[in-house]
Amino acid sequence: MTSTTLPSPRFRITRHRRLAWWGSGLACLLSLIGLLLCWINPDIRAPLRPGLDFTGGTQIQLERACTGACPPLSASDLQRQLSRLALPAEPGGSAPSLNAAAVQVLDQGRSLVLRLPDLNPDQASAVVAAVQAQAGPLQASATSVNTIGPTLGDQLLKGSLISLLVSFAAIAVYITVRYDRIFAGLALLCLGHDVLITCGVFAWLGLLGGIEVDSLFAVSLITVAGYSVTDTVVVFDRIREQKTLLRDLPLSDQVDVAVDATLTRSLYTSLTTLLPLVALIFFGGSTLFWFAVALTIGIAVGSWSSIGIAPTLLPLLARQ
């Protein structure tokens, strides 16, 4: 029998598998810690800081009318002023407190985003007038006031969770039918790895920077899950080919050859996917900023797991 000659891979991922496992393990541990800290935080009490879409309330977006660079404005100072603001009360009721108002200053001080309790039109107008007194003239045409009731917020939260669970279940069924149990298990492991780290980053952002998640974040998680499985499946397909062509070689060598063959394709695909996301981060405005950030993190982590995690675990689980 003619012996099979091993192609010479430029990069042998199995030689660095322990470093890959330790790096991903540390990232997953930090993510779990962040989610737990959010859960026990009395101001959050959830794995991630929920945004207006899920909690209900009023969001006011304002644009300052600046010629040239806007004068510096402190979000904390503006928040303290709002906490002292006396709003007009509802007939037969009391005015809501603004002590928990969240203020974001974006676009180098040009844009302001206020997240407040549920306000009526008169109360929202009073808030805008108070901000204008401190922040200077505002562009009236760019003022946006959006109100979401608690019932709608609860429905959006349940709908987002159901969408995530259904999409993950569909992916699990597909890869279970498409591959054997080991391949399917590793693909699901990578999916969980990518989603966990993406959520972990936003858990820490919520703790340290007050960043909230909304319905667009749920969309980004579904997209990340799909990308993660697609990238992993491409590598697995190449591994199955090498198991036929290089059957006389150890599985770890087959994995090195397969990963090396798909490495350039995976990197190019990831980079071309990230380019429009980076453009959204810098030029997409505040509405799509954190959506693009979540996708960027998830796709970067997904590319890593399909190259450094799933293939390196295969020889260990297959016992070859």
Side-chain angles (χ1 to χ4, degrees):
M1 178 181 295
T2 304
S3 61
T4 304
T5 303
L6 173 64
S8 179
R10 295 161 295 179
F11 177 65
R12 292 182 179 274
I13 185 62
T14 57
R15 292 183 178 177
H16 308 282
R17 60 185 183 274
R18 294 188 183 279
L19 181 62
W21 297 344
W22 275 106
S24 287
L26 179 60
C28 290
L29 178 61
L30 291 175
S31 298
L32 289 172
I33 292 173
L35 295 170
L36 178 62
L37 291 177
C38 278
W39 192 283
I40 64 177
N41 188 303
D43 295 330
I44 303 176
R45 295 198 178 280
L48 298 167
R49 185 183 291 271
L52 188 74
D53 287 2
F54 300 139
T55 60
T58 299
Q59 176 175 286
I60 302 178
Q61 292 182 279
L62 304 169
E63 294 285 337
R64 300 168 72 188
C66 306
T67 55
C70 289
L73 182 65
S74 170
S76 58
D77 291 343
L78 187 55
Q79 190 168 350
R80 279 194 294 270
Q81 179 177 335
L82 289 176
S83 66
R84 296 192 294 265
L85 180 64
L87 295 175
E90 293 273 6
S94 59
S97 171
L98 299 182
N99 289 331
V103 178
Q104 283 184 286
V105 180
L106 307 172
D107 300 333
Q108 297 180 340
R110 189 173 297 273
S111 301
L112 305 174
V113 179
L114 314 178
R115 290 179 175 83
L116 312 160
D118 193 14
L119 305 179
N120 62 32
D122 292 336
Q123 293 166 345
S125 298
V127 170
V128 173
V131 172
Q132 182 162 334
Q134 182 170 348
L138 303 173
Q139 298 181 28
S141 59
T143 298
S144 172
V145 180
N146 299 309
T147 299
I148 296 179
T151 301
L152 179 58
D154 186 58
Q155 292 175 350
L156 285 173
L157 177 59
K158 291 180 180 177
S160 298
L161 292 175
I162 291 173
S163 299
L164 286 170
L165 293 176
V166 169
S167 63
F168 292 171
I171 290 172
V173 170
Y174 165 74
I175 61 178
T176 302
V177 173
R178 182 76 168 80
Y179 295 98
D180 59 35
R181 287 179 297 176
I182 294 178
F183 280 64
L186 288 175
L188 288 175
L189 176 66
C190 285
L191 186 155
H193 168 276
D194 304 341
V195 171
L196 173 61
I197 293 178
T198 304
C199 290
V201 171
F202 272 80
W204 283 105
L205 288 173
L207 284 168
L208 302 178
I211 303 304
E212 301 172 342
V213 298
D214 54 15
S215 54
L216 280 179
F217 181 75
V219 174
S220 71
L221 291 184
I222 295 174
T223 307
V224 166
Y227 183 90
S228 171
V229 171
T230 300
D231 215 24
T232 305
V233 162
V234 170
V235 178
F236 280 173
D237 275 335
R238 185 55 62 94
I239 291 175
R240 291 203 303 183
E241 292 175 6
Q242 299 303 327
K243 289 180 71 173
T244 302
L245 298 174
L246 306 174
R247 63 172 65 91
D248 296 333
L249 296 175
L251 183 55
S252 58
D253 290 338
Q254 298 173 18
V255 167
D256 284 336
V257 174
V259 171
D260 183 70
T262 59
L263 185 61
T264 301
R265 177 261 179 204
S266 296
L267 292 178
Y268 284 171
T269 301
S270 299
L271 287 175
T272 53
T273 306
L274 290 174
L275 284 176
L277 294 177
V278 172
L280 279 178
I281 290 174
F282 287 101
F283 308 111
S286 60
T287 303
L288 296 176
F289 179 81
W290 291 112
F291 171 71
V293 169
L295 281 179
T296 300
I297 295 170
I299 288 174
V301 175
S303 300
W304 160 247
S305 66
S306 65
I307 294 171
I309 303 302
T312 58
L313 286 173
L314 183 59
L316 178 67
L317 298 179
R319 301 181 183 277
Q320 293 187 27

